[in-house]
Amino acid sequence: MKAVLQRVVSASVTVDKQIISSIGQGVLVFAAVAPEDTRKEVESMAAKVLKLKMWPDEAGGTWKHSVQDINGEVLCVSQFTLLASTKKGSKPDFHGAAGGEQAKELYEYFFSKVRDLYEPERVKNGVFQAMMEVGLVNDGPVGVNYSSENGAVTLEIETNPAKLQKQSKKTEPKKADVDGELGLPGSLLE
């Protein structure tokens, strides 16, 4: 499973010119299911989405509060394209994403777990397999990529995507394995 979290001031999903869901301050979660994913990976991802410390504390200390700590909202959006491969040619290959029924079942399970672990009324959803317009006002910007591979969850934190885009032309972004309680690598806290 892969998820991209965006810390937002607000976000919304529109389908057929109708606003389906919207949130205020919180986290916009784009989530994709891979063929080998199980309920175990989904449960782990749901918990990490809610526990990730993305906000400063009142004293200005960085990375101190989670979406639950700030009583924020969560908007989940299914996005199989996160698992695209662009290794060959210029057309994305989506074989790394789970098929329709499996993806739908596990994505809906992910959404239900996020709701179960938090306050259901503070967790909103997009429309699975719909052509959605997703609007957001980024806060920071802060973006975090999660993926579950071989039972380990890897995260990447991007606090300045424009700067990282320039750097990625030189080197690959650094990844750090996270185990147990969610912790951040020391290099990100400097």
Side-chain angles (χ1 to χ4, degrees):
M1 182 167 201
K2 183 167 188 173
V4 174
L5 284 65
Q6 294 287 316
R7 186 176 78 182
V8 297
V9 172
S10 62
S12 64
V13 172
T14 301
V15 176
D16 295 329
K17 301 192 186 305
Q18 297 288 336
I19 294 178
I20 302 301
S21 297
S22 64
I23 63 168
Q25 183 183 32
V27 178
L28 171 60
V29 181
F30 295 104
V33 177
E36 64 278 358
D37 287 339
T38 65
R39 285 180 170 244
K40 182 179 178 181
E41 280 93 11
V42 169
E43 290 167 2
S44 174
M45 189 70 75
K48 290 188 182 297
V49 162
L50 295 171
K51 291 179 183 178
L52 182 65
K53 305 220 181 270
M54 298 177 73
W55 283 268
D57 62 14
E58 297 74 23
T62 55
W63 315 112
K64 301 292 184 182
H65 291 305
S66 69
V67 69
Q68 291 175 306
D69 297 334
I70 66 157
N71 202 29
E73 296 178 286
V74 180
L75 175 56
C76 298
V77 175
S78 63
Q79 187 178 349
F80 75 95
T81 59
L82 293 176
L83 293 168
S85 172
T86 55
K87 290 182 180 179
K88 290 183 180 178
S90 57
K91 183 179 176 184
D93 174 341
F94 300 107
H95 288 96
E101 284 304 313
Q102 177 193 11
K104 183 175 184 176
E105 177 196 337
L106 288 175
Y107 173 78
E108 288 178 355
Y109 184 63
F110 168 75
F111 174 68
S112 72
K113 288 307 292 182
V114 175
R115 288 179 60 121
D116 291 347
L117 295 170
Y118 193 35
E119 299 171 30
E121 67 279 359
R122 302 199 69 71
V123 181
K124 307 292 173 49
N125 202 3
V127 178
F128 189 84
Q129 288 186 328
M131 184 61 75
M132 295 177 273
E133 294 175 12
V134 180
L136 69 137
V137 177
N138 237 321
D139 182 10
V142 172
V144 178
N145 298 327
Y146 273 133
S147 61
S148 61
E149 296 172 15
N150 302 324
V153 175
T154 302
L155 80 105
E156 231 175 83
I157 296 180
E158 301 171 3
T159 58
N160 188 340
K163 182 178 175 184
L164 284 175
Q165 262 186 332
K166 291 177 190 173
Q167 289 176 344
S168 69
K169 292 178 183 174
K170 299 175 194 170
T171 62
E172 284 293 311
K174 293 185 178 181
K175 293 184 180 182
D177 286 331
V178 177
D179 57 355
E181 281 298 309
L182 180 65
L184 298 175
S187 62
L188 293 174
L189 301 176
E190 293 176 355

